[in-house]
Amino acid sequence: MRAYLDCRRSKRNTASALEFEAHLESNLFDLHEDLISGAYQPGRSICFVITRPKTREVWAAKFRDRVVHHLLYNHISSRFYARFDAGSSACIPGRGTLYAAQRLEHAVRSITQNWSRQAFYLKMDLANFFVAIDKHVLFDQLARHVHEPFWLSLARKILFHDPRMDVEVRGRPDLLAKVPPHKSLFNAPSDTGLPIGNLSSQFFANVHLDALDQFCKHQLKARHYVRYVDDFVILHESPQHLNAALKRIDAFLPARLGARLNPTKTILQPIDRGIDFVGHLIKPWRRTTRPRTMRTALERIRTVPDADTFATGNSYLGLARQASHSHHDQALITNALRKRGHTVEGKNLTKVFRKHP
C-alpha cells in the first residue's frame, strides 16, 4: 500500500493510475499474491519519444509494475544511500539539480579561495550511459548489499526484464526515427541497457556509478568532485593533475563498469571561464541559468498555446529562481509573459497570474 501511494503521487489523474485505483483492493491483493508466490512477471511497456532537451526514448512501465519498482526501492534504497558519496546527486532525496549546482559552486569558491586564485576543472560525460549499462556488472553491485533472497530475486527480475519483448510504441514514427541508433534501447544487446523513465532505472544508475564515485574520491583523492547522473566534474589547482586523472578514469571505466567516456564532452579549462553544469553557468561571483535554457524558455513562452502559458511561465520562473543571480533572466521571462497578456507579481518576479476571463 505504501508503494502504491508513492507511485500515484502527482500521477493520480493519469489513465493508468485511475484504472488501477478503480479496483484497488483486488489489484493490490493479486499483486501481493504474485510476488509472494514468485509468479510476478513485468508486463507491457510504452515507448515514446521526447524532444526536449534532446531527442530520446522514454519507456513507461505499466502502473502495476511501477508499484513494484517503488516496493523494491522503498526496501533497499536506504542501505545504498548511506554509503553514497555526498558529491553524487540525481534521484536521491534532497539531491537534485539545485543541490548539485550549489555543491559545485561551493567547491569552486573553496578551491579558488573565493575567486582569488586560479584553478581548473575537468568535466566528463559517459557515452550513451543508460543504453550501455552492463546488467551483469550492475547485478553484482546490487548483490553485494542485498542479501535477502526475495528482494535480490525481485531486483534481478526487474533488472533483466527486456521491455522490448512486449512494447507499445506511441507517437509519430518520424520522431522515433530521429533517435540516434546508438542511443536507442531497441538496438542494445539483451543484457545491456536500462529503460529511461522508470524509478528502478534511475536508482540502479546511481548504484552502478557509485563505483566511479568511490574511485574518484579514494583512488584519485579528488577533494572536489560532483556528479549528476553521468555528468561529473573534478576540480584541482593543476591541469597536469587533471590530465593524469582523466587517463586513469578512462582506463577504469571500461575495465570496471564496461563504460566509456564521451570524448566530445570532455572539457579541461580554467574555472574562471565558467562551468556549464546541470543547467547552471558558474562564473566568478555569480551562478546564472544556462543561456541555452533561457533561449528555449523565451521561445516556448512566445509560441505555446494561451492555455499553457500560465503553467509554462510559472515553471520557468521557478527554474530561474534557483540561480543566485537571476533577476535579469526573471525580468526577460516576465516581459515575455506580459506580452502574452499575463500579470506578474511585481516585487520579486516570482509568480504569474492567470488571465482575467
Side-chain angles (χ1 to χ4, degrees):
M1 188 66 186
R2 178 73 264 165
Y4 160 72
L5 293 173
D6 291 341
C7 186
R8 80 172 189 185
R9 188 177 297 134
S10 302
K11 296 180 175 62
R12 190 170 186 180
N13 291 326
T14 62
S16 57
L18 291 171
E19 182 182 359
F20 192 89
E21 188 175 4
H23 305 283
L24 177 61
E25 186 174 349
S26 60
N27 283 335
L28 287 180
F29 180 82
D30 291 343
L31 179 56
H32 177 269
E33 290 296 298
D34 285 350
L35 287 166
I36 295 300
S37 67
Y40 168 76
Q41 292 295 332
R44 168 170 288 198
S45 294
I46 296 171
C47 177
F48 57 94
V49 174
I50 60 171
T51 57
R52 291 189 182 94
K54 62 179 74 171
T55 304
R56 65 177 61 183
E57 294 171 353
V58 175
W59 297 73
K62 288 182 63 176
F63 189 85
R64 184 178 194 260
D65 296 326
R66 298 204 299 271
V67 172
V68 177
H69 298 169
H70 278 271
L71 179 70
L72 177 68
Y73 172 84
N74 289 348
H75 189 82
I76 71 172
S77 62
S78 59
R79 69 187 70 178
F80 289 95
Y81 288 158
R83 70 185 307 274
F84 282 171
D85 180 74
S88 63
S89 51
C91 306
I92 300 174
R95 299 194 201 176
T97 56
L98 180 57
Y99 172 91
Q102 289 176 335
R103 187 169 182 87
L104 181 57
E105 184 180 28
H106 181 272
V108 165
R109 287 181 176 271
S110 174
I111 199 169
T112 61
Q113 294 186 359
N114 218 16
W115 300 103
S116 66
R117 68 177 187 180
Q118 190 178 47
F120 297 81
Y121 76 91
L122 174 63
K123 181 182 175 186
M124 293 157 285
D125 177 272
L126 298 186
N128 312 321
F129 173 56
F130 275 94
V131 176
I133 290 176
D134 187 320
K135 294 183 179 180
H136 296 287
V137 173
L138 176 51
F139 181 74
D140 289 342
Q141 293 172 307
L142 289 167
R144 290 191 193 102
H145 303 283
V146 180
H147 303 126
E148 306 92 327
F150 173 83
W151 296 108
L152 187 60
S153 173
L154 183 59
R156 176 192 283 274
K157 191 167 291 186
I158 294 171
L159 174 61
F160 283 96
H161 169 65
D162 189 346
R164 299 171 299 182
M165 296 297 100
D166 187 6
V167 59
E168 175 187 347
V169 179
R170 292 185 181 177
R172 305 198 324 254
D174 60 309
L175 279 182
L176 191 64
K178 289 182 178 179
V179 178
H182 62 282
K183 292 183 177 291
S184 173
L185 191 63
F186 284 108
N187 300 321
S190 60
D191 59 351
T192 302
L194 297 179
I196 297 175
N198 292 335
L199 172 66
S200 57
S201 298
Q202 297 165 356
F203 172 65
F204 288 161
N206 274 328
V207 173
H208 191 55
L209 288 185
D210 180 58
L212 172 64
D213 299 340
Q214 303 302 327
F215 177 77
C216 289
K217 296 296 288 188
H218 299 293
Q219 300 299 318
L220 300 182
K221 307 295 182 184
R223 291 183 294 118
H224 303 291
Y225 167 85
V226 181
R227 177 180 64 80
Y228 186 85
V229 193
D230 62 326
D231 294 333
F232 55 107
V233 179
I234 299 176
L235 311 179
H236 201 271
E237 298 88 345
S238 165
Q240 292 78 16
H241 177 91
L242 292 176
N243 264 319
L246 174 59
K247 291 180 181 178
R248 293 185 63 183
I249 292 171
D250 204 23
F252 167 82
L253 285 170
R256 177 68 176 80
L257 298 179
R260 59 186 180 87
L261 291 174
N262 185 342
T264 64
K265 294 185 178 180
T266 300
I267 302 171
L268 174 55
Q269 286 195 135
I271 286 175
D272 55 14
R273 289 190 186 178
I275 307 177
D276 186 341
F277 190 61
V278 293
H280 293 247
L281 185 61
I282 300 170
K283 300 195 77 172
W285 305 108
R286 65 191 184 277
R287 175 169 49 83
T288 59
T289 306
R290 178 187 289 157
R292 187 180 66 197
T293 302
M294 281 302 304
R295 290 193 296 270
T296 301
L298 297 175
E299 177 64 18
R300 287 201 67 198
I301 292 171
R302 186 180 66 82
T303 58
V304 296
D306 283 343
D308 297 333
T309 53
F310 172 75
T312 301
N314 274 313
S315 175
Y316 279 118
L317 279 178
L319 178 66
R321 282 183 65 196
Q322 292 187 348
S324 62
H325 291 69
S326 62
H327 184 81
H328 176 68
D329 291 339
Q330 287 175 272
L332 292 175
I333 293 172
T334 54
N335 284 335
L337 288 164
R338 288 171 57 226
K339 290 179 181 178
R340 296 296 303 268
H342 285 274
T343 303
V344 181
E345 192 274 326
K347 184 178 179 181
N348 298 315
L349 307 181
T350 57
K351 185 188 299 183
V352 183
F353 296 99
R354 294 186 186 275
K355 285 183 179 181
H356 193 277

